[in-house]
Amino acid sequence: MDTSLTPTSDKSTRSSRLPGFYKLSAKDRLQIVADFASIPAQELEHLQSADGLPADVALCMSENVVGRFSLPLAFATNFRVNGADYIVPMAIEEPSVVAAASFAARLLRKDDGISSIATEPIMIGQIHFPEPPPRETLEYIVREHHEELKKHLDANHPRLVAAGGGFQYARVRYLSDPDGRPIAVVHLHIDVRDAMGANAVNSMAEEAAPLFERWTGTRVGLRILSNLPMHRRVKVQGSVLLDTDTDGPNMSRDEALRIEEASRFAEVDPYRAVTANKGVMNGIDAVLLATGQDFRAVEAAAHAFASRDGRYSALARWYVEDNKLYGTMDIPLALGTVGGITAVHPIVSTTLKILGIQQAQKLSELVAAVGLAQNLAATRALASEGIQRGHMRLHARNIAMLVGATPEEVPAVVAGMLAREDIKETTARLCLELVRTSGQAH
Ligand code: MEV
Protein backbone atom coordinates (compact mmCIF):
# COMPACT_ATOMS: atom_id res chain seq x y z
CA MET A 1 0.00 0.00 0.00
CA ASP A 2 1.21 3.52 -0.83
CA THR A 3 2.14 4.97 2.58
CA SER A 4 1.86 8.56 1.31
CA LEU A 5 -1.86 7.94 1.54
CA THR A 6 -1.75 7.28 5.26
CA PRO A 7 -3.57 10.19 6.91
CA THR A 8 -2.28 11.73 10.10
CA SER A 9 -4.41 10.74 13.08
CA ASP A 10 -4.41 14.27 14.52
CA LYS A 11 -7.99 15.41 13.97
CA SER A 12 -7.10 19.07 13.58
CA THR A 13 -4.55 18.49 10.82
CA ARG A 14 -5.63 15.23 9.19
CA SER A 15 -6.44 15.52 5.52
CA SER A 16 -9.18 13.84 3.54
CA ARG A 17 -7.26 14.68 0.38
CA LEU A 18 -6.28 11.12 -0.50
CA PRO A 19 -4.96 10.90 -4.07
CA GLY A 20 -5.32 7.45 -5.58
CA PHE A 21 -7.79 6.24 -2.92
CA TYR A 22 -10.06 5.00 -5.72
CA LYS A 23 -7.32 2.78 -7.14
CA LEU A 24 -6.76 0.80 -3.94
CA SER A 25 -8.27 -2.52 -2.94
CA ALA A 26 -11.30 -2.35 -0.67
CA LYS A 27 -9.15 -3.72 2.16
CA ASP A 28 -6.52 -0.99 1.74
CA ARG A 29 -9.21 1.66 1.56
CA LEU A 30 -10.65 0.40 4.80
CA GLN A 31 -7.22 0.62 6.44
CA ILE A 32 -6.99 4.26 5.38
CA VAL A 33 -10.45 4.97 6.74
CA ALA A 34 -9.40 3.32 10.01
CA ASP A 35 -6.21 5.41 10.19
CA PHE A 36 -8.10 8.57 9.34
CA ALA A 37 -10.63 7.95 12.09
CA SER A 38 -8.03 6.58 14.55
CA ILE A 39 -10.05 3.39 14.94
CA PRO A 40 -8.35 -0.03 14.94
CA ALA A 41 -8.94 -1.61 11.52
CA GLN A 42 -10.38 -4.77 13.15
CA GLU A 43 -13.26 -2.66 14.46
CA LEU A 44 -14.21 -1.77 10.90
CA GLU A 45 -13.92 -5.23 9.39
CA HIS A 46 -17.64 -5.88 9.71
CA LEU A 47 -18.21 -3.16 7.07
CA GLN A 48 -16.80 -5.65 4.57
CA SER A 49 -18.91 -8.57 5.64
CA ALA A 50 -22.05 -9.49 3.72
CA ASP A 51 -23.59 -9.81 7.16
CA GLY A 52 -23.33 -6.13 8.13
CA LEU A 53 -26.80 -6.31 9.67
CA PRO A 54 -27.22 -9.45 11.82
CA ALA A 55 -30.37 -11.46 11.05
CA ASP A 56 -31.69 -11.26 14.62
CA VAL A 57 -31.33 -7.47 14.64
CA ALA A 58 -33.10 -7.23 11.26
CA LEU A 59 -35.95 -9.35 12.62
CA CYS A 60 -36.56 -6.84 15.40
CA MET A 61 -36.39 -3.79 13.15
CA SER A 62 -39.45 -4.41 10.99
CA GLU A 63 -42.32 -6.84 10.39
CA ASN A 64 -42.65 -9.88 8.12
CA VAL A 65 -38.86 -9.89 7.71
CA VAL A 66 -37.41 -12.61 5.52
CA GLY A 67 -33.89 -11.33 4.94
CA ARG A 68 -31.71 -8.28 4.54
CA PHE A 69 -30.98 -5.91 1.68
CA SER A 70 -27.50 -4.54 0.98
CA LEU A 71 -26.10 -1.57 -0.92
CA PRO A 72 -22.48 -0.64 -1.66
CA LEU A 73 -20.91 1.40 1.14
CA ALA A 74 -18.26 3.80 -0.17
CA PHE A 75 -16.31 6.79 1.18
CA ALA A 76 -16.05 10.13 -0.58
CA THR A 77 -12.75 11.93 -0.11
CA ASN A 78 -11.62 15.58 -0.11
CA PHE A 79 -14.38 17.04 2.04
CA ARG A 80 -13.41 20.06 4.10
CA VAL A 81 -16.34 21.52 6.00
CA ASN A 82 -16.12 24.31 8.59
CA GLY A 83 -12.35 23.88 8.71
CA ALA A 84 -12.35 20.12 9.39
CA ASP A 85 -11.65 17.27 6.99
CA TYR A 86 -14.02 14.33 6.54
CA ILE A 87 -14.10 11.15 4.53
CA VAL A 88 -17.79 10.70 4.05
CA PRO A 89 -19.67 7.36 4.14
CA MET A 90 -22.15 7.02 1.27
CA ALA A 91 -24.46 4.08 0.65
CA ILE A 92 -25.56 4.21 -2.98
CA GLU A 93 -25.87 1.97 -6.00
CA GLU A 94 -25.64 4.66 -8.70
CA PRO A 95 -22.22 4.74 -10.36
CA SER A 96 -20.36 8.05 -10.40
CA VAL A 97 -22.11 9.69 -7.42
CA VAL A 98 -19.24 9.05 -4.99
CA ALA A 99 -16.58 9.92 -7.58
CA ALA A 100 -18.46 13.11 -8.48
CA ALA A 101 -18.86 14.17 -4.84
CA SER A 102 -15.14 13.63 -4.22
CA PHE A 103 -14.26 15.59 -7.36
CA ALA A 104 -16.41 18.58 -6.44
CA ALA A 105 -15.19 18.49 -2.83
CA ARG A 106 -11.68 18.78 -4.22
CA LEU A 107 -12.61 21.86 -6.25
CA LEU A 108 -14.33 23.40 -3.22
CA ARG A 109 -11.52 22.71 -0.75
CA LYS A 110 -9.06 24.89 -2.69
CA ASP A 111 -10.80 28.02 -1.45
CA ASP A 112 -10.73 26.87 2.15
CA GLY A 113 -13.55 24.40 1.96
CA ILE A 114 -17.26 24.58 2.53
CA SER A 115 -18.94 26.52 5.31
CA SER A 116 -22.16 25.20 6.67
CA ILE A 117 -24.27 26.34 9.57
CA ALA A 118 -27.26 24.62 11.13
CA THR A 119 -29.96 26.34 13.16
CA GLU A 120 -31.05 25.00 16.54
CA PRO A 121 -32.82 21.62 16.14
CA ILE A 122 -36.40 22.82 16.42
CA MET A 123 -39.16 20.49 15.22
CA ILE A 124 -42.87 21.19 14.95
CA GLY A 125 -45.69 19.12 16.45
CA GLN A 126 -49.16 19.82 15.04
CA ILE A 127 -52.39 19.79 17.02
CA HIS A 128 -55.34 20.00 14.67
CA PHE A 129 -58.74 21.53 15.56
CA PRO A 130 -61.35 20.50 12.95
CA GLU A 131 -64.05 22.67 14.61
CA PRO A 132 -61.94 25.40 16.12
CA PRO A 133 -62.82 28.02 18.70
CA PRO A 134 -62.50 31.65 17.56
CA ARG A 135 -58.94 32.66 16.74
CA GLU A 136 -58.65 35.16 19.63
CA THR A 137 -59.77 32.46 22.09
CA LEU A 138 -57.18 29.94 20.91
CA GLU A 139 -54.43 32.59 20.85
CA TYR A 140 -55.38 33.69 24.36
CA ILE A 141 -55.30 30.07 25.61
CA VAL A 142 -51.87 29.45 24.08
CA ARG A 143 -50.52 32.65 25.72
CA GLU A 144 -52.12 32.08 29.12
CA HIS A 145 -51.18 28.42 29.40
CA HIS A 146 -47.63 28.65 28.11
CA GLU A 147 -45.96 27.90 31.46
CA GLU A 148 -48.39 25.12 32.36
CA LEU A 149 -47.96 23.50 28.95
CA LYS A 150 -44.17 23.71 29.14
CA LYS A 151 -44.10 22.28 32.65
CA HIS A 152 -46.39 19.41 31.70
CA LEU A 153 -44.56 18.46 28.50
CA ASP A 154 -41.00 18.88 29.80
CA ALA A 155 -41.82 16.84 32.91
CA ASN A 156 -42.59 13.86 30.66
CA HIS A 157 -39.25 14.18 28.82
CA PRO A 158 -36.59 14.67 31.49
CA ARG A 159 -33.76 13.23 29.36
CA LEU A 160 -34.47 15.64 26.53
CA VAL A 161 -34.61 18.54 28.98
CA ALA A 162 -31.36 17.42 30.63
CA ALA A 163 -29.74 17.42 27.18
CA GLY A 164 -30.80 21.06 26.74
CA GLY A 165 -33.96 20.50 24.70
CA GLY A 166 -37.68 20.47 25.40
CA PHE A 167 -40.81 22.45 24.63
CA GLN A 168 -40.09 26.02 23.49
CA TYR A 169 -43.34 27.76 22.54
CA ALA A 170 -46.62 27.29 20.66
CA ARG A 171 -48.07 29.21 17.71
CA VAL A 172 -51.61 29.30 16.32
CA ARG A 173 -52.47 28.99 12.63
CA TYR A 174 -55.91 29.28 10.99
CA LEU A 175 -56.64 27.77 7.57
CA SER A 176 -59.68 27.04 5.42
CA ASP A 177 -60.57 23.48 4.54
CA PRO A 178 -61.46 22.62 0.89
CA ASP A 179 -65.07 23.75 1.52
CA GLY A 180 -63.97 27.05 3.01
CA ARG A 181 -64.67 26.04 6.63
CA PRO A 182 -62.11 27.20 9.20
CA ILE A 183 -59.65 24.77 10.76
CA ALA A 184 -57.00 25.66 13.28
CA VAL A 185 -53.61 24.18 14.09
CA VAL A 186 -51.44 24.76 17.11
CA HIS A 187 -47.77 24.27 16.36
CA LEU A 188 -45.68 23.07 19.27
CA HIS A 189 -42.06 24.13 18.72
CA ILE A 190 -39.80 21.58 20.35
CA ASP A 191 -36.02 21.53 20.65
CA VAL A 192 -35.12 17.87 20.04
CA ARG A 193 -31.34 18.29 20.37
CA ASP A 194 -29.50 15.33 18.77
CA ALA A 195 -32.55 13.24 17.95
CA MET A 196 -34.41 13.29 14.65
CA GLY A 197 -37.23 14.00 17.02
CA ALA A 198 -40.25 12.16 15.61
CA ASN A 199 -40.83 10.19 18.82
CA ALA A 200 -40.43 13.10 21.22
CA VAL A 201 -42.59 15.40 19.09
CA ASN A 202 -45.35 12.84 18.52
CA SER A 203 -45.43 12.05 22.24
CA MET A 204 -45.59 15.73 23.18
CA ALA A 205 -48.34 16.39 20.64
CA GLU A 206 -50.38 13.49 22.08
CA GLU A 207 -49.70 14.65 25.64
CA ALA A 208 -50.71 18.24 24.85
CA ALA A 209 -53.94 17.34 23.05
CA PRO A 210 -56.10 16.52 26.15
CA LEU A 211 -54.97 19.77 27.78
CA PHE A 212 -56.09 21.73 24.73
CA GLU A 213 -59.41 19.88 24.62
CA ARG A 214 -59.96 20.85 28.27
CA TRP A 215 -58.88 24.49 27.81
CA THR A 216 -60.85 25.06 24.58
CA GLY A 217 -63.82 22.77 25.14
CA THR A 218 -63.40 21.62 21.51
CA ARG A 219 -62.29 18.37 19.97
CA VAL A 220 -58.73 17.81 18.76
CA GLY A 221 -58.28 15.94 15.46
CA LEU A 222 -54.73 14.87 14.57
CA ARG A 223 -51.67 15.26 16.77
CA ILE A 224 -48.51 14.52 14.86
CA LEU A 225 -45.14 16.01 13.99
CA SER A 226 -44.74 18.00 10.81
CA ASN A 227 -42.10 16.67 8.45
CA LEU A 228 -41.57 20.22 7.19
CA PRO A 229 -39.03 21.43 9.77
CA MET A 230 -38.94 25.06 8.65
CA HIS A 231 -36.99 26.01 11.77
CA ARG A 232 -34.42 23.23 11.50
CA ARG A 233 -32.36 24.39 8.57
CA VAL A 234 -28.84 24.40 7.22
CA LYS A 235 -27.29 27.19 5.21
CA VAL A 236 -24.28 25.99 3.28
CA GLN A 237 -21.94 27.82 0.96
CA GLY A 238 -18.78 27.11 -0.96
CA SER A 239 -16.63 28.72 -3.61
CA VAL A 240 -14.29 27.63 -6.34
CA LEU A 241 -11.26 29.69 -7.32
CA LEU A 242 -11.22 30.27 -11.05
CA ASP A 243 -8.26 30.03 -13.42
CA THR A 244 -5.69 29.28 -10.73
CA ASP A 245 -2.39 27.51 -11.28
CA THR A 246 -2.81 25.36 -8.21
CA ASP A 247 -2.46 21.64 -8.61
CA GLY A 248 -5.43 19.39 -9.31
CA PRO A 249 -8.60 20.12 -11.25
CA ASN A 250 -9.16 23.76 -12.05
CA MET A 251 -12.16 25.63 -13.31
CA SER A 252 -12.04 28.24 -16.03
CA ARG A 253 -14.14 31.38 -15.95
CA ASP A 254 -16.05 30.13 -19.01
CA GLU A 255 -16.90 26.89 -17.28
CA ALA A 256 -18.07 28.80 -14.21
CA LEU A 257 -20.26 31.09 -16.31
CA ARG A 258 -21.90 28.05 -17.89
CA ILE A 259 -22.58 26.67 -14.43
CA GLU A 260 -24.18 29.99 -13.47
CA GLU A 261 -26.28 29.84 -16.62
CA ALA A 262 -27.40 26.27 -15.79
CA SER A 263 -28.23 27.35 -12.25
CA ARG A 264 -30.43 30.19 -13.52
CA PHE A 265 -32.26 27.70 -15.73
CA ALA A 266 -32.95 25.44 -12.72
CA GLU A 267 -34.08 28.44 -10.69
CA VAL A 268 -36.97 29.23 -13.03
CA ASP A 269 -37.96 25.89 -14.58
CA PRO A 270 -39.52 23.24 -12.32
CA TYR A 271 -38.78 20.52 -14.91
CA ARG A 272 -35.07 21.27 -14.64
CA ALA A 273 -35.24 22.06 -10.91
CA VAL A 274 -36.55 18.59 -10.03
CA THR A 275 -33.62 17.00 -11.86
CA ALA A 276 -31.10 19.36 -10.31
CA ASN A 277 -32.56 18.66 -6.86
CA LYS A 278 -32.47 14.93 -7.57
CA GLY A 279 -28.73 15.43 -8.03
CA VAL A 280 -28.50 17.23 -4.67
CA MET A 281 -30.40 14.36 -3.07
CA ASN A 282 -28.08 11.78 -4.69
CA GLY A 283 -25.41 13.00 -2.30
CA ILE A 284 -27.67 13.72 0.64
CA ASP A 285 -29.57 10.42 0.56
CA ALA A 286 -26.38 8.39 0.23
CA VAL A 287 -25.02 9.88 3.47
CA LEU A 288 -28.43 9.57 5.13
CA LEU A 289 -28.60 5.86 4.31
CA ALA A 290 -25.04 5.25 5.49
CA THR A 291 -25.76 7.03 8.76
CA GLY A 292 -29.18 5.48 9.41
CA GLN A 293 -31.36 8.55 8.90
CA ASP A 294 -35.02 8.85 7.93
CA PHE A 295 -34.34 9.73 4.30
CA ARG A 296 -38.08 9.76 3.43
CA ALA A 297 -38.63 12.61 5.89
CA VAL A 298 -35.69 14.57 4.50
CA GLU A 299 -36.82 14.03 0.89
CA ALA A 300 -40.40 15.13 1.65
CA ALA A 301 -39.16 18.26 3.41
CA ALA A 302 -36.57 19.16 0.78
CA HIS A 303 -39.09 19.13 -2.06
CA ALA A 304 -41.77 20.99 -0.13
CA PHE A 305 -39.15 23.57 0.82
CA ALA A 306 -38.11 23.87 -2.83
CA SER A 307 -41.68 25.08 -3.50
CA ARG A 308 -41.84 27.54 -0.63
CA ASP A 309 -42.25 30.57 -2.91
CA GLY A 310 -45.21 29.01 -4.72
CA ARG A 311 -43.15 27.57 -7.55
CA TYR A 312 -40.83 24.55 -7.38
CA SER A 313 -37.26 25.79 -7.75
CA ALA A 314 -33.66 24.65 -7.40
CA LEU A 315 -32.37 24.16 -3.86
CA ALA A 316 -28.84 25.30 -4.75
CA ARG A 317 -27.71 28.41 -6.63
CA TRP A 318 -24.39 29.15 -8.36
CA TYR A 319 -23.07 32.52 -9.49
CA VAL A 320 -19.79 34.06 -10.55
CA GLU A 321 -18.34 37.06 -8.76
CA ASP A 322 -14.81 38.41 -9.23
CA ASN A 323 -12.57 35.39 -9.66
CA LYS A 324 -14.78 32.86 -7.92
CA LEU A 325 -17.79 30.64 -8.52
CA TYR A 326 -20.02 30.76 -5.44
CA GLY A 327 -22.62 28.17 -4.47
CA THR A 328 -25.25 28.45 -1.75
CA MET A 329 -28.05 26.26 -0.49
CA ASP A 330 -30.63 26.50 2.28
CA ILE A 331 -32.31 23.21 3.20
CA PRO A 332 -34.38 21.80 6.08
CA LEU A 333 -32.71 18.74 7.58
CA ALA A 334 -34.11 16.69 10.46
CA LEU A 335 -31.31 14.29 11.35
CA GLY A 336 -30.41 12.39 14.49
CA THR A 337 -27.21 11.05 16.00
CA VAL A 338 -29.12 9.37 18.83
CA GLY A 339 -32.28 7.27 18.75
CA GLY A 340 -33.74 5.60 15.67
CA ILE A 341 -31.41 2.90 14.38
CA THR A 342 -28.22 4.83 15.21
CA ALA A 343 -27.28 2.50 18.06
CA VAL A 344 -29.03 -0.59 16.68
CA HIS A 345 -27.63 -1.02 13.19
CA PRO A 346 -23.96 -1.99 13.57
CA ILE A 347 -22.92 -0.32 10.29
CA VAL A 348 -24.60 2.93 11.25
CA SER A 349 -22.89 3.01 14.65
CA THR A 350 -19.60 2.52 12.86
CA THR A 351 -20.11 5.14 10.15
CA LEU A 352 -21.05 7.71 12.79
CA LYS A 353 -17.95 6.76 14.75
CA ILE A 354 -15.80 7.14 11.63
CA LEU A 355 -17.24 10.60 11.05
CA GLY A 356 -16.54 11.42 14.68
CA ILE A 357 -19.77 13.40 14.79
CA GLN A 358 -21.89 13.33 17.93
CA GLN A 359 -24.19 16.28 17.30
CA ALA A 360 -27.11 16.18 14.89
CA GLN A 361 -26.41 19.80 13.91
CA LYS A 362 -22.86 18.90 12.83
CA LEU A 363 -24.13 15.91 10.86
CA SER A 364 -26.65 18.19 9.11
CA GLU A 365 -23.90 20.65 8.25
CA LEU A 366 -21.86 17.88 6.65
CA VAL A 367 -24.85 16.39 4.82
CA ALA A 368 -25.79 19.76 3.34
CA ALA A 369 -22.17 20.23 2.22
CA VAL A 370 -22.28 16.90 0.39
CA GLY A 371 -25.54 17.94 -1.31
CA LEU A 372 -24.01 21.21 -2.50
CA ALA A 373 -20.87 19.47 -3.78
CA GLN A 374 -22.95 16.85 -5.57
CA ASN A 375 -24.92 19.57 -7.32
CA LEU A 376 -21.71 21.30 -8.39
CA ALA A 377 -20.30 18.10 -9.86
CA ALA A 378 -23.48 17.34 -11.82
CA THR A 379 -23.93 20.92 -13.06
CA ARG A 380 -20.29 21.18 -14.10
CA ALA A 381 -20.50 17.95 -16.08
CA LEU A 382 -23.84 18.89 -17.68
CA ALA A 383 -22.58 22.34 -18.61
CA SER A 384 -19.50 20.89 -20.31
CA GLU A 385 -18.99 17.35 -21.65
CA GLY A 386 -22.31 15.94 -20.38
CA ILE A 387 -22.62 13.16 -17.83
CA GLN A 388 -22.90 10.06 -19.96
CA ARG A 389 -19.23 9.52 -20.76
CA GLY A 390 -18.12 9.49 -17.13
CA HIS A 391 -21.23 7.65 -16.04
CA MET A 392 -20.88 4.92 -18.64
CA ARG A 393 -17.22 4.35 -17.77
CA LEU A 394 -18.29 3.55 -14.23
CA HIS A 395 -21.45 1.76 -15.31
CA ALA A 396 -19.25 -0.53 -17.44
CA ARG A 397 -18.56 -2.54 -14.27
CA ASN A 398 -22.27 -3.29 -13.90
CA ILE A 399 -22.51 -4.33 -17.54
CA ALA A 400 -19.54 -6.66 -17.10
CA MET A 401 -21.26 -8.30 -14.12
CA LEU A 402 -24.54 -8.45 -15.99
CA VAL A 403 -22.99 -10.65 -18.70
CA GLY A 404 -21.57 -12.99 -16.08
CA ALA A 405 -18.03 -11.71 -15.37
CA THR A 406 -16.75 -12.74 -11.96
CA PRO A 407 -15.34 -9.97 -9.71
CA GLU A 408 -11.83 -11.07 -10.83
CA GLU A 409 -12.78 -10.84 -14.52
CA VAL A 410 -14.58 -7.47 -14.27
CA PRO A 411 -11.50 -5.17 -14.59
CA ALA A 412 -10.30 -6.88 -17.78
CA VAL A 413 -13.77 -6.88 -19.34
CA VAL A 414 -14.18 -3.17 -18.48
CA ALA A 415 -10.74 -2.40 -19.92
CA GLY A 416 -11.76 -4.20 -23.13
CA MET A 417 -14.96 -2.15 -23.45
CA LEU A 418 -13.14 1.13 -22.74
CA ALA A 419 -10.43 0.32 -25.28
CA ARG A 420 -13.17 -0.23 -27.88
CA GLU A 421 -15.02 2.88 -26.67
CA ASP A 422 -18.12 0.73 -26.78
CA ILE A 423 -19.85 0.16 -23.47
CA LYS A 424 -22.70 -2.20 -24.07
CA GLU A 425 -23.76 -5.77 -23.41
CA THR A 426 -22.75 -7.33 -26.74
CA THR A 427 -19.24 -5.87 -26.42
CA ALA A 428 -19.04 -6.97 -22.80
CA ARG A 429 -19.89 -10.55 -23.90
CA LEU A 430 -17.19 -10.49 -26.54
CA CYS A 431 -14.65 -9.12 -24.05
CA LEU A 432 -15.58 -11.74 -21.46
CA GLU A 433 -15.07 -14.50 -24.02
CA LEU A 434 -11.65 -13.06 -24.90
CA VAL A 435 -10.69 -12.78 -21.22
CA ARG A 436 -11.66 -16.41 -20.68
CA THR A 437 -9.81 -17.68 -23.74
CA SER A 438 -6.73 -15.44 -23.83
CA GLY A 439 -6.59 -13.74 -20.40
CA GLN A 440 -7.30 -10.24 -21.74
CA ALA A 441 -9.78 -8.36 -23.89
CA HIS A 442 -7.67 -5.70 -25.55
C1 MEV B 1 -28.39 11.92 -12.06
O1 MEV B 1 -28.60 10.95 -11.06
C2 MEV B 1 -28.41 13.32 -11.44
C3 MEV B 1 -28.33 14.46 -12.47
O2 MEV B 1 -29.38 14.34 -13.41
C4 MEV B 1 -28.47 15.75 -11.67
C5 MEV B 1 -28.61 16.99 -12.53
O3 MEV B 1 -29.15 16.91 -13.64
O4 MEV B 1 -28.20 18.05 -12.05
C6 MEV B 1 -27.05 14.43 -13.23
Side-chain angles (χ1 to χ4, degrees):
M1 191 173 91
D2 179 356
T3 48
S4 68
L5 280 174
T6 310
T8 150
S9 57
D10 176 351
K11 282 196 177 155
S12 59
T13 57
R14 68 187 183 177
S15 173
S16 62
R17 175 83 201 92
L18 300 166
F21 185 71
Y22 69 100
K23 292 187 200 148
L24 301 175
S25 67
K27 189 163 179 281
D28 286 349
R29 283 190 204 120
L30 196 72
Q31 182 64 53
I32 289 184
V33 172
D35 293 343
F36 183 89
S38 310
I39 300 173
Q42 307 85 280
E43 280 188 35
L44 303 190
E45 271 166 12
H46 68 110
L47 297 184
Q48 295 194 307
S49 132
D51 201 20
L53 176 62
D56 52 343
V57 178
L59 275 176
C60 297
M61 285 170 80
S62 186
E63 305 77 37
N64 299 358
V65 172
V66 298
R68 286 147 294 163
F69 181 91
S70 302
L71 280 174
L73 175 67
F75 282 86
T77 58
N78 299 332
F79 273 90
R80 187 161 180 77
V81 181
N82 296 337
D85 271 42
Y86 296 93
I87 37 184
V88 183
M90 298 178 84
I92 187 156
E93 86 300 345
E94 183 173 326
S96 71
V97 167
V98 178
S102 306
F103 174 82
R106 192 170 168 203
L107 283 171
L108 288 160
R109 70 182 283 124
K110 282 190 178 170
D111 195 25
D112 217 21
I114 302 170
S115 36
S116 188
I117 176 146
T119 61
E120 297 297 315
I122 306 293
M123 295 292 281
I124 294 169
Q126 293 196 294
I127 302 179
H128 159 224
F129 298 85
E131 293 153 4
R135 183 177 195 125
E136 307 71 56
T137 311
L138 194 50
E139 280 176 348
Y140 175 81
I141 285 167
V142 161
R143 249 191 338 269
E144 287 302 299
H145 292 279
H146 171 83
E147 282 308 322
E148 191 182 344
L149 184 61
K150 180 166 176 55
K151 214 167 145 203
H152 180 79
L153 296 180
D154 283 354
N156 289 335
H157 299 268
R159 281 176 55 202
L160 181 58
V161 173
F167 173 78
Q168 304 294 300
Y169 58 89
R171 286 283 177 273
V172 174
R173 296 172 60 229
Y174 271 73
L175 310 161
S176 293
D177 80 359
D179 295 322
R181 284 190 295 257
I183 51 180
V185 195
V186 169
H187 278 189
L188 306 177
H189 291 238
I190 297 156
D191 184 330
V192 296
R193 289 290 98 199
D194 292 321
M196 183 274 185
N199 274 336
V201 173
N202 287 335
S203 305
M204 283 200 189
E206 290 189 8
E207 288 151 11
L211 299 183
F212 276 100
E213 287 193 324
R214 178 150 56 81
W215 294 330
T216 61
T218 56
R219 182 175 64 86
V220 161
L222 307 189
R223 45 262 196 268
I224 178 75
L225 99 155
S226 167
N227 277 122
L228 183 56
M230 286 302 278
H231 308 282
R232 196 176 189 185
R233 304 248 287 271
V234 184
K235 287 202 167 109
V236 57
Q237 63 178 50
S239 51
V240 180
L241 285 169
L242 304 179
D243 294 321
T244 57
D245 293 332
T246 51
D247 108 279
N250 285 314
M251 187 180 281
S252 70
R253 193 174 173 78
D254 272 1
E255 229 180 326
L257 287 170
R258 281 197 295 273
I259 291 172
E260 178 182 283
E261 185 181 84
S263 173
R264 293 165 74 89
F265 171 27
E267 201 171 322
V268 297
D269 180 15
Y271 286 90
R272 170 62 204 143
V274 170
T275 321
N277 291 345
K278 190 273 183 181
V280 170
M281 301 315 286
N282 273 346
I284 289 186
D285 284 348
V287 187
L288 299 185
L289 276 171
T291 56
Q293 306 299 315
D294 184 342
F295 56 92
R296 289 87 58 205
V298 171
E299 281 279 346
H303 298 292
F305 187 72
S307 314
R308 66 194 178 283
D309 297 328
R311 182 184 62 198
Y312 190 93
S313 181
L315 287 162
R317 308 255 189 284
W318 295 93
Y319 59 93
V320 177
E321 217 172 84
D322 303 326
N323 69 333
K324 290 184 189 177
L325 171 74
Y326 291 91
T328 62
M329 184 168 73
D330 181 0
I331 187 166
L333 281 174
L335 309 188
T337 52
V338 297
I341 61 164
T342 53
V344 176
H345 194 306
I347 292 190
V348 168
S349 318
T350 305
T351 52
L352 285 172
K353 194 166 165 192
I354 290 168
L355 282 173
I357 288 179
Q358 277 97 38
Q359 280 180 307
Q361 281 163 290
K362 275 206 176 328
L363 182 62
S364 306
E365 288 164 354
L366 177 68
V367 164
V370 176
L372 186 71
Q374 202 74 54
N375 180 247
L376 172 62
T379 315
R380 191 206 65 89
L382 290 166
S384 51
E385 80 272 10
I387 55 166
Q388 273 317 87
R389 206 174 132 80
H391 181 79
M392 288 310 285
R393 279 176 76 89
L394 295 170
H395 186 54
R397 294 181 302 216
N398 290 344
I399 299 182
M401 284 190 287
L402 190 77
V403 300
T406 63
E408 295 73 40
E409 291 166 335
V410 165
V413 174
V414 167
M417 282 191 278
L418 292 180
R420 286 170 180 75
E421 293 190 10
D422 193 19
I423 298 165
K424 53 180 192 278
E425 257 182 77
T426 42
T427 317
R429 272 206 185 82
L430 169 78
C431 292
L432 181 59
E433 211 175 296
L434 287 171
V435 168
R436 286 187 178 162
T437 49
S438 69
Q440 61 172 22
H442 65 289

